[in-house]
């Protein structure tokens, strides 16, 4: 299953005993988790290590004996964050890409553009829909990221410590160690980059001024919302 924007650097990591695997979904705290698992001697499955890594990734996903974990995030919140990440700071990643923020803001204020988004919200690997990373994987559980209110308080987290506690429990369950169980700070927040924050806030403004955008985005991302019902939540 490769007809989607799969992460190139670390699509999957496996535990030292090969009993556990983490499936990377970009914009779902992935860089932070990659570092934690690496510190606990997990192995990265990626192109640099295997020419047939896609087949290897798919075989891990389909294996019933390997316990998979994914981090899920509210789909609309993830889409907003992913769009702001890609198009807010893309110029710094690729010197050939120069996006005028005023032009981008004019686009975000255009109802016709939003109708295009509703038909296909995927514009980069940061906005690739979450269910495609999981595909038909077997033996999968999830941990949910912190929720925010995308309309009135887009930077306020409902329970900032819950995610870190649940992630700590998972690391312990797999035989690893961690030291972030008391953390309350967001990982890679919108305000970590000025342009990203500007784009993020502009989208929140559009949603606040037109509630239909939020409803339509939820409809466009309904398969990702279904993951919370179709997958089992990790508990310990």
């Amino acid at each position: 299953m490769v007809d989607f924007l799969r992460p190139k650097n670390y699509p999957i990591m496996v535990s030292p005993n090969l009993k556990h695997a983490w499936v990377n979904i970009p914009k779902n705290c992935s860089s932070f988790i990659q570092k934690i698992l690496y510190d606990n001697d997990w192995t990265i499955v990626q192109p640099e290590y295997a020419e047939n890594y896609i087949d290897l990734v798919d075989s891990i996903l389909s294996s019933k004996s390997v316990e998979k974990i994914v981090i899920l995030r509210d789909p609309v919140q993830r889409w907003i964050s992913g769009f702001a990440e890609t198009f807010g700071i893309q110029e710094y990643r690729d010197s050939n890409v120069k996006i005028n923020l005023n032009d981008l803001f004019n686009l975000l204020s255009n109802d016709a553009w939003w109708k295009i988004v509703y038909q296909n919200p995927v514009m980069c690997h940061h906005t690739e829909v979450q269910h495609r990373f999981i595909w038909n994987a077997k033996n999968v559980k999830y941990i949910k990221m912190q929720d925010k209110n995308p309309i009135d308080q887009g930077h306020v987290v409902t329970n900032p410590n819950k995610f870190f506690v649940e992630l700590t429990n998972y690391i312990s369950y797999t035989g690893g160690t961690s030291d972030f169980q008391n953390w309350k700070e967001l990982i890679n927040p919108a305000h970590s980059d000025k342009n990203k924050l500007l784009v993020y806030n502009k989208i929140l403004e559009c949603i606040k001024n037109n509630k239909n955008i939020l409803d339509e985005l939820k409809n466009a991302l309904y398969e990702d919302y279904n993951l919370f019902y179709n997958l089992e939540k990790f508990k310990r």
Side-chain angles (χ1 to χ4, degrees):
M1 179 65 174
V2 296
D3 57 340
F4 70 100
L5 299 175
R6 194 198 297 270
K8 294 181 179 180
N9 293 329
Y10 37 91
I12 277 186
M13 295 182 70
V14 293
S15 63
N17 59 13
L18 305 181
K19 293 182 179 180
H20 308 280
W22 164 66
V23 182
N24 176 16
I25 300 179
K27 292 307 298 176
N28 290 7
C29 210
S30 56
S31 297
F32 176 69
I33 293 175
Q34 183 271 332
K35 176 65 167 57
I36 294 167
L37 298 182
Y38 184 82
D39 289 345
N40 281 282
D41 298 321
W42 286 48
T43 301
I44 300 173
V45 178
Q46 66 181 39
E48 286 79 357
Y49 297 159
E51 292 183 359
N52 63 337
Y53 86 102
I54 293 177
D55 293 336
L56 180 57
V57 167
D58 288 344
S59 67
I60 294 172
L61 288 174
S62 61
S63 172
K64 294 182 180 179
S65 62
V66 179
E67 297 180 17
K68 268 76 68 178
I69 192 73
V70 294
I71 307 301
L72 296 182
R73 185 175 183 177
D74 178 272
V76 170
Q77 294 172 12
R78 177 178 176 269
W79 187 89
I80 296 171
S81 178
F83 186 93
E85 175 90 10
T86 293
F87 297 100
I89 64 176
Q90 190 170 4
E91 181 178 344
Y92 302 121
R93 295 177 174 173
D94 185 347
S95 59
N96 295 319
V97 177
K98 296 185 182 297
I99 298 177
N100 184 288
L101 289 186
N102 288 328
D103 292 341
L104 181 59
F105 292 166
N106 288 335
L107 187 63
L108 289 170
S109 300
N110 191 317
D111 290 340
W113 183 83
W114 282 106
K115 290 180 180 179
I116 295 174
V117 172
Y118 305 150
Q119 293 301 311
N120 183 8
V122 178
M123 301 183 182
C124 58
H125 70 280
H126 285 143
T127 54
E128 177 63 89
V129 287
Q130 296 175 88
H131 67 271
R132 288 179 183 160
F133 296 97
I134 301 168
W135 187 37
N136 63 348
K138 310 297 182 184
N139 197 2
V140 183
K141 295 182 181 180
Y142 75 89
I143 297 174
K144 190 174 186 294
M145 276 187 66
Q146 311 103 315
D147 274 335
K148 302 177 188 176
N149 185 330
I151 300 176
D152 299 319
Q153 296 173 308
H155 307 286
V156 176
V157 177
T158 53
N159 189 342
N161 180 244
K162 183 179 180 181
F163 170 72
F164 293 111
V165 170
E166 292 180 349
L167 184 58
T168 295
N169 290 338
Y170 175 76
I171 298 299
S172 175
Y173 168 74
T174 61
T177 60
S178 69
D179 59 357
F180 51 82
Q181 61 271 16
N182 296 317
W183 285 17
K184 295 183 181 181
E185 296 294 326
L186 289 175
I187 302 299
N188 190 22
H191 60 263
S192 63
D193 179 270
K194 181 181 70 173
N195 283 357
K196 179 171 70 172
L197 180 60
L198 289 172
V199 176
Y200 186 92
N201 284 338
K202 179 61 179 180
I203 296 176
L204 293 184
E205 176 187 322
C206 292
I207 292 176
K208 187 174 183 179
N209 293 334
N210 182 359
K211 299 299 193 298
N212 184 60
I213 293 177
L214 180 60
D215 293 337
E216 292 290 348
L217 281 176
K218 288 181 177 180
N219 289 335
L221 299 168
Y222 77 95
E223 289 185 86
D224 279 1
Y225 280 104
N226 284 342
L227 291 174
F228 294 105
Y229 301 99
N230 296 332
L231 297 181
E232 181 181 351
K233 185 174 183 180
F234 172 79
K235 294 181 180 179
R236 192 183 185 197

